Amino acid sequence: QTADIEPLNEKSFNEMKIRMLGNERVLLQQLCFDLSVENSSAFLFKYARVVTVNQGEKMPNPLVQKAHELIGDSYETTICVEYPPQIIAVALLHLAAKLNKPKCTLDEPDEKPWYSRFMDANIDAAITDIGHRVLDVYASKPPPMTVSTDGASPASPAMSATGGTHGGVPGLAPVDAQH
């Protein structure tokens, strides 16, 4: 299989380097050379103080901590430059509630989505996209090495929590192969 790969010579290396620098310039221009991103955590903590779960209960700290971890893991993707931090916070709080054991339901006042008190737009597609892409981060990581005494192979915590793929998360639609 590796016989089809040609060794990299200086000419092809320089061509690839020039192409990469050109693509980098286009990317920087699209970002208006603004590489600072606002952290979603501040919005997460603001929402966690207001949103209730399971018909009026205060949001549990482990749920907020899980959402905060998901925000940290989202920085392994390009989500932070594609979506505003408020939407990322909503999406990852939603995902944390779906992954929570026992299942946690974010209360929805007046038959509207729970996030409607923070923003006017319908962001269901963004919530789904962000959730799938963060779960992809977990799916792409190798499982932690564990020693099994019964001869069974180790399983990734992310994979077991999601039923093998992120399509197995209740309330999160399966994703197709392309984003």
Side-chain angles (χ1 to χ4, degrees):
Q1 293 174 351
T2 58
D4 296 342
I5 300 173
E6 296 180 25
L8 191 61
N9 61 38
E10 188 174 347
K11 180 181 177 190
S12 59
F13 173 79
N14 286 332
E15 288 171 358
M16 285 176 27
K17 182 173 108 176
I18 290 169
R19 197 172 33 227
M20 185 175 69
L21 289 171
N23 289 337
E24 187 177 83
R25 179 171 293 282
V26 169
L27 177 65
L28 288 169
Q29 288 171 341
Q30 289 296 317
L31 293 173
C32 300
F33 292 87
D34 182 7
L35 300 179
S36 62
V37 292
E38 192 173 357
N39 193 320
S40 303
S41 296
F43 294 99
L44 168 67
F45 297 132
K46 173 184 169 186
Y47 301 157
R49 284 192 295 272
V50 177
V51 176
T52 57
V53 297
N54 303 333
Q55 287 93 33
E57 297 175 18
K58 182 182 174 191
M59 188 169 300
N61 283 337
L63 180 61
V64 179
Q65 289 172 345
K66 181 61 180 173
H68 191 252
E69 290 172 18
L70 292 169
I71 286 173
D73 293 335
S74 74
Y75 289 110
E76 293 186 34
T77 70
T78 57
I79 291 170
C80 64
V81 294
E82 295 178 55
Y83 293 100
Q86 300 91 328
I87 293 176
I88 295 170
V90 164
L92 296 179
L93 184 54
H94 177 80
L95 180 59
K98 297 294 179 189
L99 295 173
N100 194 55
K101 302 285 186 211
K103 188 176 182 225
C104 195
T105 305
L106 300 168
D107 293 341
E108 297 187 349
D110 304 323
E111 302 298 319
K112 294 180 183 176
W114 65 270
Y115 58 79
S116 64
R117 58 190 119 165
F118 307 115
M119 53 195 69
D120 295 330
N122 181 343
I123 59 169
D124 291 340
I127 288 174
T128 300
D129 180 50
I130 293 167
H132 286 303
R133 290 174 59 194
V134 170
L135 287 173
D136 284 343
V137 169
Y138 291 107
S140 67
K141 289 183 179 179
M145 294 302 294
T146 58
V147 177
S148 176
T149 58
D150 63 359
S153 62
S156 165
M159 295 302 281
S160 62
T162 63
T165 66
H166 48 289
V169 176
L172 193 62
V175 68
D176 58 7
Q178 298 179 3
H179 294 279

